[in-house]
Amino acid sequence: MNLKNLLQKYKNGEIGIDDTQARIRSLGYVPVCDVANIDTFRKHRTGIMEAVLAEGKTPEDILEISKAQIGATGRVLITRLNEDQSSCLENEFGSERIDWGIHHRTAAVHDGTNIVKTGGVVAIISAGTADIDVAEEARMTAAEMGCETVKIYDVGVAGLHRLLNEVKNLESDRPDAVVVAAGREGTLPTVVSSLFDVPVIGLPVSTGYGIGEKGEAALYSMLQSCSVLSVVNIDAGFVAGSFAGRIANTVAAAREQTNSVVIENQQGRS
């Protein structure tokens, strides 16, 4: 059932408003090349947009899926790209239609459609330079959700003074949520959570070697944190960015509503 027929049934009184809403929420997927059913309605349903995971896909599949998503929503986020896939995107869309993350591992491709800003603010912190690709995936995800993003990279606990030098700047930016990406022993999220009064999301990264290699030590360390934080899976930049974006957008909506009430009260007294 398409949206027009659904609305006609509601207009004719054949279905009620609650049933109409439930059916609208189930609409919005587009089959692509017999390899995908992209969820074009996801952002309206959940607040988090559909994204394309590049791993396991051919460059040609990524192009077709991206074109379909752009046709439906104007923008598409693509994560975990390799060099061949990134080159294919560049050749097809051109640099003016792609917003790249550092090292071209994450990309937002668009037709000129701008991101609708929500007023939410998300800070992204990385412990080391080896963690930046995963941190960038989180940052670009939050940005695509309409959040302003603040990035602070390479401030791990091996040189804690680097983080302390950034604390004042972070306090002035007043993020609504913070994502902290760290590999090795994964200590940085615990430290950050002990310094700030906003939700912190630990993002373990599969850097490091030895007995706790591939992000396992970082994951266990974050789960065992003595300060309060949430933790996502290893290298799950999209999940961390989405969670932070959802928090920030919820806070921003509440802030806007509060400001509206204050303005109405002031106008009522004047």
Side-chain angles (χ1 to χ4, degrees):
M1 182 182 294
N2 63 40
L3 184 58
K4 183 176 181 180
N5 290 340
L6 183 61
L7 293 176
Q8 189 64 52
K9 283 181 174 292
Y10 171 71
K11 181 179 179 181
N12 295 341
E14 298 175 41
I15 56 176
I17 189 169
D18 291 338
D19 193 17
T20 302
Q21 180 178 353
R23 295 192 188 190
I24 288 175
R25 286 177 177 271
S26 69
L27 294 174
Y29 74 90
V30 177
V32 181
C33 300
D34 297 325
V35 298
N37 288 299
I38 61 172
D39 188 354
T40 58
F41 203 68
R42 182 177 296 176
K43 188 169 185 179
H44 298 284
R45 189 175 67 251
T46 69
I48 301 170
M49 66 286 167
E50 172 80 288
V52 180
L53 175 64
E55 285 183 352
K57 295 180 178 65
T58 67
E60 293 75 21
D61 286 343
I62 292 171
L63 286 181
E64 292 305 313
I65 294 170
S66 298
K67 290 176 182 178
Q69 182 71 25
I70 293 168
T73 66
R75 303 183 67 89
V76 62
L77 180 70
I78 310 169
T79 65
R80 302 179 73 85
L81 288 155
N82 62 34
E83 187 174 345
D84 289 341
Q85 293 165 337
S86 295
S87 297
C88 186
L89 286 175
E90 184 83 47
N91 292 335
E92 178 68 26
F93 295 106
S95 58
E96 69 280 358
R97 292 183 58 187
I98 306 176
D99 300 326
W100 290 108
I102 297 174
H103 304 149
H104 288 202
R105 289 274 287 157
T106 305
V109 189
H110 56 85
D111 61 3
T113 299
N114 293 320
I115 300 170
V116 178
K117 297 296 184 180
T118 62
V121 181
V122 173
I124 310 292
I125 301 175
S126 84
T129 55
D131 308 316
I132 286 177
D133 284 342
V134 177
E136 279 287 278
E137 183 178 313
R139 183 189 66 80
M140 292 190 66
T141 299
E144 286 296 304
M145 293 175 66
C147 298
E148 296 293 336
T149 60
V150 180
K151 62 181 180 182
I152 301 173
Y153 290 166
D154 196 24
V155 291
V157 297
L160 190 58
H161 59 292
R162 297 175 298 181
L163 173 65
L164 298 179
N165 286 337
E166 296 286 350
V167 166
K168 186 172 292 186
N169 292 333
L170 198 58
E171 288 176 341
S172 65
D173 288 320
R174 290 302 303 165
D176 303 305
V178 181
V179 175
V180 185
R184 300 285 297 191
E185 84 292 350
T187 307
L188 188 61
T190 296
V191 175
V192 172
S193 181
S194 73
L195 295 174
F196 299 101
D197 62 347
V198 298
V200 173
I201 300 158
L203 173 54
V205 182
S206 58
T207 54
Y209 49 84
I211 195 168
E213 65 179 355
K214 298 180 181 177
E216 291 186 10
L219 174 61
Y220 289 147
S221 177
M222 294 179 198
L223 290 172
Q224 290 288 97
S225 173
C226 58
S227 61
V228 178
L229 66 147
S230 294
V231 184
V232 299
N233 208 346
I234 298 168
D235 289 342
F238 175 78
V239 177
S242 297
F243 190 28
R246 180 177 274 174
I247 292 170
N249 288 342
T250 299
V251 172
R255 189 161 51 228
E256 182 178 358
Q257 185 176 18
T258 299
N259 291 339
S260 297
V261 171
V262 171
I263 292 172
E264 288 177 4
N265 289 339
Q266 290 174 341
Q267 290 175 342
R269 289 195 298 268
S270 61

PDB file of all heavy atoms in Angstrom, residues 103-138:
ATOM      1  N   HIS A 103      40.920  10.573   6.045  1.00  0.00           N
ATOM      2  CA  HIS A 103      41.384   9.329   5.426  1.00  0.00           C
ATOM      3  C   HIS A 103      40.350   8.688   4.496  1.00  0.00           C
ATOM      4  O   HIS A 103      40.556   7.570   4.021  1.00  0.00           O
ATOM      5  CB  HIS A 103      41.812   8.295   6.482  1.00  0.00           C
ATOM      6  CG  HIS A 103      42.858   8.794   7.415  1.00  0.00           C
ATOM      7  ND1 HIS A 103      42.962   8.370   8.731  1.00  0.00           N
ATOM      8  CD2 HIS A 103      43.853   9.712   7.228  1.00  0.00           C
ATOM      9  CE1 HIS A 103      43.967   8.987   9.324  1.00  0.00           C
ATOM     10  NE2 HIS A 103      44.525   9.812   8.436  1.00  0.00           N
ATOM     11  N   HIS A 104      39.229   9.368   4.257  1.00  0.00           N
ATOM     12  CA  HIS A 104      38.226   8.906   3.279  1.00  0.00           C
ATOM     13  C   HIS A 104      37.640   7.530   3.631  1.00  0.00           C
ATOM     14  O   HIS A 104      37.244   6.783   2.738  1.00  0.00           O
ATOM     15  CB  HIS A 104      38.819   8.875   1.869  1.00  0.00           C
ATOM     16  CG  HIS A 104      39.028  10.238   1.294  1.00  0.00           C
ATOM     17  ND1 HIS A 104      39.113  10.472  -0.057  1.00  0.00           N
ATOM     18  CD2 HIS A 104      39.154  11.460   1.880  1.00  0.00           C
ATOM     19  CE1 HIS A 104      39.293  11.767  -0.277  1.00  0.00           C
ATOM     20  NE2 HIS A 104      39.322  12.373   0.895  1.00  0.00           N
ATOM     21  N   ARG A 105      37.544   7.217   4.901  1.00  0.00           N
ATOM     22  CA  ARG A 105      36.929   5.955   5.304  1.00  0.00           C
ATOM     23  C   ARG A 105      35.421   6.107   5.500  1.00  0.00           C
ATOM     24  O   ARG A 105      34.677   5.121   5.497  1.00  0.00           O
ATOM     25  CB  ARG A 105      37.566   5.448   6.596  1.00  0.00           C
ATOM     26  CG  ARG A 105      38.982   4.935   6.427  1.00  0.00           C
ATOM     27  CD  ARG A 105      38.974   3.481   6.017  1.00  0.00           C
ATOM     28  NE  ARG A 105      38.600   2.623   7.141  1.00  0.00           N
ATOM     29  CZ  ARG A 105      38.090   1.412   7.034  1.00  0.00           C
ATOM     30  NH1 ARG A 105      37.866   0.895   5.843  1.00  0.00           N
ATOM     31  NH2 ARG A 105      37.790   0.706   8.107  1.00  0.00           N
ATOM     32  N   THR A 106      34.953   7.335   5.704  1.00  0.00           N
ATOM     33  CA  THR A 106      33.525   7.636   5.843  1.00  0.00           C
ATOM     34  C   THR A 106      33.186   8.776   4.899  1.00  0.00           C
ATOM     35  O   THR A 106      33.993   9.696   4.726  1.00  0.00           O
ATOM     36  CB  THR A 106      33.183   8.035   7.289  1.00  0.00           C
ATOM     37  OG1 THR A 106      33.617   7.021   8.184  1.00  0.00           O
ATOM     38  CG2 THR A 106      31.680   8.242   7.453  1.00  0.00           C
ATOM     39  N   ALA A 107      32.009   8.702   4.286  1.00  0.00           N
ATOM     40  CA  ALA A 107      31.608   9.734   3.331  1.00  0.00           C
ATOM     41  C   ALA A 107      30.120  10.020   3.456  1.00  0.00           C
ATOM     42  O   ALA A 107      29.317   9.120   3.693  1.00  0.00           O
ATOM     43  CB  ALA A 107      31.931   9.306   1.906  1.00  0.00           C
ATOM     44  N   ALA A 108      29.766  11.287   3.296  1.00  0.00           N
ATOM     45  CA  ALA A 108      28.370  11.691   3.153  1.00  0.00           C
ATOM     46  C   ALA A 108      28.209  12.232   1.738  1.00  0.00           C
ATOM     47  O   ALA A 108      28.829  13.238   1.375  1.00  0.00           O
ATOM     48  CB  ALA A 108      27.997  12.746   4.178  1.00  0.00           C
ATOM     49  N   VAL A 109      27.404  11.553   0.927  1.00  0.00           N
ATOM     50  CA  VAL A 109      27.187  11.938  -0.466  1.00  0.00           C
ATOM     51  C   VAL A 109      25.809  12.591  -0.558  1.00  0.00           C
ATOM     52  O   VAL A 109      24.853  12.122   0.068  1.00  0.00           O
ATOM     53  CB  VAL A 109      27.278  10.723  -1.406  1.00  0.00           C
ATOM     54  CG1 VAL A 109      27.260  11.173  -2.863  1.00  0.00           C
ATOM     55  CG2 VAL A 109      28.548   9.912  -1.118  1.00  0.00           C
ATOM     56  N   HIS A 110      25.696  13.650  -1.354  1.00  0.00           N
ATOM     57  CA  HIS A 110      24.442  14.407  -1.372  1.00  0.00           C
ATOM     58  C   HIS A 110      24.202  15.024  -2.749  1.00  0.00           C
ATOM     59  O   HIS A 110      25.094  15.058  -3.602  1.00  0.00           O
ATOM     60  CB  HIS A 110      24.475  15.503  -0.306  1.00  0.00           C
ATOM     61  CG  HIS A 110      25.650  16.437  -0.445  1.00  0.00           C
ATOM     62  ND1 HIS A 110      25.644  17.526  -1.275  1.00  0.00           N
ATOM     63  CD2 HIS A 110      26.885  16.407   0.139  1.00  0.00           C
ATOM     64  CE1 HIS A 110      26.802  18.153  -1.201  1.00  0.00           C
ATOM     65  NE2 HIS A 110      27.583  17.490  -0.356  1.00  0.00           N
ATOM     66  N   ASP A 111      22.990  15.524  -2.929  1.00  0.00           N
ATOM     67  CA  ASP A 111      22.630  16.194  -4.176  1.00  0.00           C
ATOM     68  C   ASP A 111      22.547  17.709  -4.002  1.00  0.00           C
ATOM     69  O   ASP A 111      21.943  18.405  -4.806  1.00  0.00           O
ATOM     70  CB  ASP A 111      21.303  15.651  -4.708  1.00  0.00           C
ATOM     71  CG  ASP A 111      20.143  15.880  -3.741  1.00  0.00           C
ATOM     72  OD1 ASP A 111      20.354  16.512  -2.672  1.00  0.00           O
ATOM     73  OD2 ASP A 111      19.024  15.429  -4.036  1.00  0.00           O
ATOM     74  N   GLY A 112      23.154  18.208  -2.937  1.00  0.00           N
ATOM     75  CA  GLY A 112      23.056  19.620  -2.590  1.00  0.00           C
ATOM     76  C   GLY A 112      22.116  19.858  -1.428  1.00  0.00           C
ATOM     77  O   GLY A 112      22.036  20.984  -0.916  1.00  0.00           O
ATOM     78  N   THR A 113      21.398  18.820  -1.020  1.00  0.00           N
ATOM     79  CA  THR A 113      20.501  18.927   0.132  1.00  0.00           C
ATOM     80  C   THR A 113      21.314  19.147   1.397  1.00  0.00           C
ATOM     81  O   THR A 113      22.235  18.382   1.692  1.00  0.00           O
ATOM     82  CB  THR A 113      19.659  17.648   0.289  1.00  0.00           C
ATOM     83  OG1 THR A 113      18.867  17.465  -0.888  1.00  0.00           O
ATOM     84  CG2 THR A 113      18.742  17.738   1.502  1.00  0.00           C
ATOM     85  N   ASN A 114      20.998  20.196   2.135  1.00  0.00           N
ATOM     86  CA  ASN A 114      21.718  20.511   3.361  1.00  0.00           C
ATOM     87  C   ASN A 114      21.177  19.726   4.548  1.00  0.00           C
ATOM     88  O   ASN A 114      20.006  19.323   4.562  1.00  0.00           O
ATOM     89  CB  ASN A 114      21.639  22.006   3.672  1.00  0.00           C
ATOM     90  CG  ASN A 114      22.375  22.846   2.655  1.00  0.00           C
ATOM     91  OD1 ASN A 114      23.459  22.476   2.201  1.00  0.00           O
ATOM     92  ND2 ASN A 114      21.797  23.975   2.284  1.00  0.00           N
ATOM     93  N   ILE A 115      21.997  19.534   5.540  1.00  0.00           N
ATOM     94  CA  ILE A 115      21.574  18.904   6.788  1.00  0.00           C
ATOM     95  C   ILE A 115      20.707  19.888   7.566  1.00  0.00           C
ATOM     96  O   ILE A 115      21.053  21.071   7.680  1.00  0.00           O
ATOM     97  CB  ILE A 115      22.797  18.505   7.637  1.00  0.00           C
ATOM     98  CG1 ILE A 115      23.677  17.510   6.879  1.00  0.00           C
ATOM     99  CG2 ILE A 115      22.366  17.925   8.976  1.00  0.00           C
ATOM    100  CD1 ILE A 115      25.014  17.264   7.535  1.00  0.00           C
ATOM    101  N   VAL A 116      19.599  19.435   8.092  1.00  0.00           N
ATOM    102  CA  VAL A 116      18.746  20.268   8.940  1.00  0.00           C
ATOM    103  C   VAL A 116      19.335  20.263  10.348  1.00  0.00           C
ATOM    104  O   VAL A 116      19.407  19.221  11.008  1.00  0.00           O
ATOM    105  CB  VAL A 116      17.299  19.737   8.967  1.00  0.00           C
ATOM    106  CG1 VAL A 116      16.442  20.587   9.893  1.00  0.00           C
ATOM    107  CG2 VAL A 116      16.716  19.730   7.556  1.00  0.00           C
ATOM    108  N   LYS A 117      19.769  21.418  10.811  1.00  0.00           N
ATOM    109  CA  LYS A 117      20.404  21.514  12.119  1.00  0.00           C
ATOM    110  C   LYS A 117      19.365  21.432  13.242  1.00  0.00           C
ATOM    111  O   LYS A 117      18.293  22.028  13.150  1.00  0.00           O
ATOM    112  CB  LYS A 117      21.180  22.818  12.244  1.00  0.00           C
ATOM    113  CG  LYS A 117      22.329  22.946  11.250  1.00  0.00           C
ATOM    114  CD  LYS A 117      23.391  21.889  11.490  1.00  0.00           C
ATOM    115  CE  LYS A 117      24.586  22.070  10.581  1.00  0.00           C
ATOM    116  NZ  LYS A 117      25.635  21.045  10.812  1.00  0.00           N
ATOM    117  N   THR A 118      19.716  20.704  14.276  1.00  0.00           N
ATOM    118  CA  THR A 118      18.787  20.484  15.386  1.00  0.00           C
ATOM    119  C   THR A 118      19.102  21.315  16.616  1.00  0.00           C
ATOM    120  O   THR A 118      18.248  21.473  17.487  1.00  0.00           O
ATOM    121  CB  THR A 118      18.833  19.007  15.806  1.00  0.00           C
ATOM    122  OG1 THR A 118      20.158  18.699  16.274  1.00  0.00           O
ATOM    123  CG2 THR A 118      18.469  18.101  14.644  1.00  0.00           C
ATOM    124  N   GLY A 119      20.317  21.808  16.701  1.00  0.00           N
ATOM    125  CA  GLY A 119      20.750  22.508  17.904  1.00  0.00           C
ATOM    126  C   GLY A 119      21.493  21.617  18.880  1.00  0.00           C
ATOM    127  O   GLY A 119      22.056  22.103  19.866  1.00  0.00           O
ATOM    128  N   GLY A 120      21.513  20.307  18.633  1.00  0.00           N
ATOM    129  CA  GLY A 120      22.264  19.393  19.477  1.00  0.00           C
ATOM    130  C   GLY A 120      23.765  19.530  19.227  1.00  0.00           C
ATOM    131  O   GLY A 120      24.186  19.876  18.129  1.00  0.00           O
ATOM    132  N   VAL A 121      24.551  19.254  20.268  1.00  0.00           N
ATOM    133  CA  VAL A 121      26.010  19.352  20.164  1.00  0.00           C
ATOM    134  C   VAL A 121      26.627  18.055  20.675  1.00  0.00           C
ATOM    135  O   VAL A 121      26.317  17.609  21.786  1.00  0.00           O
ATOM    136  CB  VAL A 121      26.563  20.543  20.977  1.00  0.00           C
ATOM    137  CG1 VAL A 121      28.084  20.626  20.821  1.00  0.00           C
ATOM    138  CG2 VAL A 121      25.908  21.841  20.554  1.00  0.00           C
ATOM    139  N   VAL A 122      27.493  17.455  19.870  1.00  0.00           N
ATOM    140  CA  VAL A 122      28.182  16.219  20.236  1.00  0.00           C
ATOM    141  C   VAL A 122      29.682  16.438  20.134  1.00  0.00           C
ATOM    142  O   VAL A 122      30.168  16.932  19.108  1.00  0.00           O
ATOM    143  CB  VAL A 122      27.770  15.052  19.315  1.00  0.00           C
ATOM    144  CG1 VAL A 122      28.617  13.811  19.608  1.00  0.00           C
ATOM    145  CG2 VAL A 122      26.291  14.726  19.492  1.00  0.00           C
ATOM    146  N   ALA A 123      30.413  16.069  21.184  1.00  0.00           N
ATOM    147  CA  ALA A 123      31.868  16.115  21.157  1.00  0.00           C
ATOM    148  C   ALA A 123      32.403  14.719  20.868  1.00  0.00           C
ATOM    149  O   ALA A 123      31.885  13.729  21.386  1.00  0.00           O
ATOM    150  CB  ALA A 123      32.416  16.631  22.482  1.00  0.00           C
ATOM    151  N   ILE A 124      33.427  14.654  20.028  1.00  0.00           N
ATOM    152  CA  ILE A 124      34.085  13.397  19.684  1.00  0.00           C
ATOM    153  C   ILE A 124      35.549  13.510  20.096  1.00  0.00           C
ATOM    154  O   ILE A 124      36.257  14.418  19.647  1.00  0.00           O
ATOM    155  CB  ILE A 124      34.008  13.101  18.172  1.00  0.00           C
ATOM    156  CG1 ILE A 124      32.570  13.253  17.648  1.00  0.00           C
ATOM    157  CG2 ILE A 124      34.568  11.724  17.879  1.00  0.00           C
ATOM    158  CD1 ILE A 124      31.607  12.220  18.150  1.00  0.00           C
ATOM    159  N   ILE A 125      35.981  12.595  20.942  1.00  0.00           N
ATOM    160  CA  ILE A 125      37.356  12.605  21.439  1.00  0.00           C
ATOM    161  C   ILE A 125      38.017  11.291  21.059  1.00  0.00           C
ATOM    162  O   ILE A 125      37.418  10.229  21.206  1.00  0.00           O
ATOM    163  CB  ILE A 125      37.378  12.780  22.967  1.00  0.00           C
ATOM    164  CG1 ILE A 125      36.683  14.089  23.374  1.00  0.00           C
ATOM    165  CG2 ILE A 125      38.806  12.760  23.502  1.00  0.00           C
ATOM    166  CD1 ILE A 125      36.549  14.278  24.875  1.00  0.00           C
ATOM    167  N   SER A 126      39.262  11.371  20.583  1.00  0.00           N
ATOM    168  CA  SER A 126      40.016  10.140  20.325  1.00  0.00           C
ATOM    169  C   SER A 126      41.252  10.115  21.210  1.00  0.00           C
ATOM    170  O   SER A 126      41.884  11.153  21.449  1.00  0.00           O
ATOM    171  CB  SER A 126      40.419  10.020  18.857  1.00  0.00           C
ATOM    172  OG  SER A 126      41.612  10.734  18.597  1.00  0.00           O
ATOM    173  N   ALA A 127      41.591   8.916  21.677  1.00  0.00           N
ATOM    174  CA  ALA A 127      42.773   8.769  22.515  1.00  0.00           C
ATOM    175  C   ALA A 127      44.041   8.931  21.694  1.00  0.00           C
ATOM    176  O   ALA A 127      44.986   9.606  22.108  1.00  0.00           O
ATOM    177  CB  ALA A 127      42.747   7.413  23.218  1.00  0.00           C
ATOM    178  N   GLY A 128      44.092   8.282  20.517  1.00  0.00           N
ATOM    179  CA  GLY A 128      45.282   8.351  19.680  1.00  0.00           C
ATOM    180  C   GLY A 128      44.932   8.578  18.230  1.00  0.00           C
ATOM    181  O   GLY A 128      43.763   8.523  17.829  1.00  0.00           O
ATOM    182  N   THR A 129      45.952   8.819  17.420  1.00  0.00           N
ATOM    183  CA  THR A 129      45.702   9.028  15.996  1.00  0.00           C
ATOM    184  C   THR A 129      45.222   7.745  15.324  1.00  0.00           C
ATOM    185  O   THR A 129      44.507   7.796  14.314  1.00  0.00           O
ATOM    186  CB  THR A 129      46.977   9.524  15.289  1.00  0.00           C
ATOM    187  OG1 THR A 129      48.049   8.611  15.545  1.00  0.00           O
ATOM    188  CG2 THR A 129      47.371  10.891  15.800  1.00  0.00           C
ATOM    189  N   ALA A 130      45.582   6.594  15.876  1.00  0.00           N
ATOM    190  CA  ALA A 130      45.125   5.323  15.308  1.00  0.00           C
ATOM    191  C   ALA A 130      43.631   5.108  15.495  1.00  0.00           C
ATOM    192  O   ALA A 130      43.042   4.232  14.859  1.00  0.00           O
ATOM    193  CB  ALA A 130      45.899   4.164  15.937  1.00  0.00           C
ATOM    194  N   ASP A 131      43.015   5.888  16.364  1.00  0.00           N
ATOM    195  CA  ASP A 131      41.587   5.753  16.645  1.00  0.00           C
ATOM    196  C   ASP A 131      40.736   6.712  15.820  1.00  0.00           C
ATOM    197  O   ASP A 131      39.499   6.710  15.929  1.00  0.00           O
ATOM    198  CB  ASP A 131      41.316   6.015  18.140  1.00  0.00           C
ATOM    199  CG  ASP A 131      42.203   5.183  19.046  1.00  0.00           C
ATOM    200  OD1 ASP A 131      42.361   3.986  18.761  1.00  0.00           O
ATOM    201  OD2 ASP A 131      42.742   5.728  20.032  1.00  0.00           O
ATOM    202  N   ILE A 132      41.363   7.528  15.002  1.00  0.00           N
ATOM    203  CA  ILE A 132      40.654   8.625  14.348  1.00  0.00           C
ATOM    204  C   ILE A 132      39.624   8.136  13.331  1.00  0.00           C
ATOM    205  O   ILE A 132      38.534   8.717  13.220  1.00  0.00           O
ATOM    206  CB  ILE A 132      41.655   9.608  13.704  1.00  0.00           C
ATOM    207  CG1 ILE A 132      42.321  10.446  14.802  1.00  0.00           C
ATOM    208  CG2 ILE A 132      40.968  10.513  12.689  1.00  0.00           C
ATOM    209  CD1 ILE A 132      43.378  11.406  14.282  1.00  0.00           C
ATOM    210  N   ASP A 133      39.913   7.096  12.563  1.00  0.00           N
ATOM    211  CA  ASP A 133      38.954   6.645  11.555  1.00  0.00           C
ATOM    212  C   ASP A 133      37.624   6.247  12.185  1.00  0.00           C
ATOM    213  O   ASP A 133      36.544   6.579  11.667  1.00  0.00           O
ATOM    214  CB  ASP A 133      39.521   5.463  10.760  1.00  0.00           C
ATOM    215  CG  ASP A 133      40.568   5.891   9.740  1.00  0.00           C
ATOM    216  OD1 ASP A 133      40.615   7.096   9.412  1.00  0.00           O
ATOM    217  OD2 ASP A 133      41.332   5.029   9.283  1.00  0.00           O
ATOM    218  N   VAL A 134      37.676   5.539  13.295  1.00  0.00           N
ATOM    219  CA  VAL A 134      36.444   5.138  13.985  1.00  0.00           C
ATOM    220  C   VAL A 134      35.780   6.357  14.615  1.00  0.00           C
ATOM    221  O   VAL A 134      34.552   6.494  14.595  1.00  0.00           O
ATOM    222  CB  VAL A 134      36.745   4.057  15.040  1.00  0.00           C
ATOM    223  CG1 VAL A 134      35.480   3.684  15.805  1.00  0.00           C
ATOM    224  CG2 VAL A 134      37.335   2.815  14.373  1.00  0.00           C
ATOM    225  N   ALA A 135      36.582   7.255  15.168  1.00  0.00           N
ATOM    226  CA  ALA A 135      36.035   8.487  15.742  1.00  0.00           C
ATOM    227  C   ALA A 135      35.339   9.325  14.674  1.00  0.00           C
ATOM    228  O   ALA A 135      34.271   9.912  14.904  1.00  0.00           O
ATOM    229  CB  ALA A 135      37.150   9.293  16.407  1.00  0.00           C
ATOM    230  N   GLU A 136      35.925   9.384  13.474  1.00  0.00           N
ATOM    231  CA  GLU A 136      35.332  10.141  12.380  1.00  0.00           C
ATOM    232  C   GLU A 136      33.996   9.546  11.946  1.00  0.00           C
ATOM    233  O   GLU A 136      33.056  10.268  11.583  1.00  0.00           O
ATOM    234  CB  GLU A 136      36.285  10.180  11.188  1.00  0.00           C
ATOM    235  CG  GLU A 136      37.368  11.210  11.305  1.00  0.00           C
ATOM    236  CD  GLU A 136      36.821  12.618  11.105  1.00  0.00           C
ATOM    237  OE1 GLU A 136      36.646  13.042   9.952  1.00  0.00           O
ATOM    238  OE2 GLU A 136      36.543  13.280  12.122  1.00  0.00           O
ATOM    239  N   GLU A 137      33.886   8.218  11.981  1.00  0.00           N
ATOM    240  CA  GLU A 137      32.607   7.582  11.660  1.00  0.00           C
ATOM    241  C   GLU A 137      31.531   8.037  12.639  1.00  0.00           C
ATOM    242  O   GLU A 137      30.404   8.364  12.240  1.00  0.00           O
ATOM    243  CB  GLU A 137      32.757   6.065  11.708  1.00  0.00           C
ATOM    244  CG  GLU A 137      31.503   5.299  11.317  1.00  0.00           C
ATOM    245  CD  GLU A 137      31.724   3.798  11.330  1.00  0.00           C
ATOM    246  OE1 GLU A 137      32.763   3.345  10.770  1.00  0.00           O
ATOM    247  OE2 GLU A 137      30.871   3.070  11.877  1.00  0.00           O
ATOM    248  N   ALA A 138      31.878   8.102  13.918  1.00  0.00           N
ATOM    249  CA  ALA A 138      30.929   8.579  14.922  1.00  0.00           C
ATOM    250  C   ALA A 138      30.603  10.051  14.709  1.00  0.00           C
ATOM    251  O   ALA A 138      29.429  10.467  14.790  1.00  0.00           O
ATOM    252  CB  ALA A 138      31.505   8.358  16.323  1.00  0.00           C
TER     253      ALA A 138
END
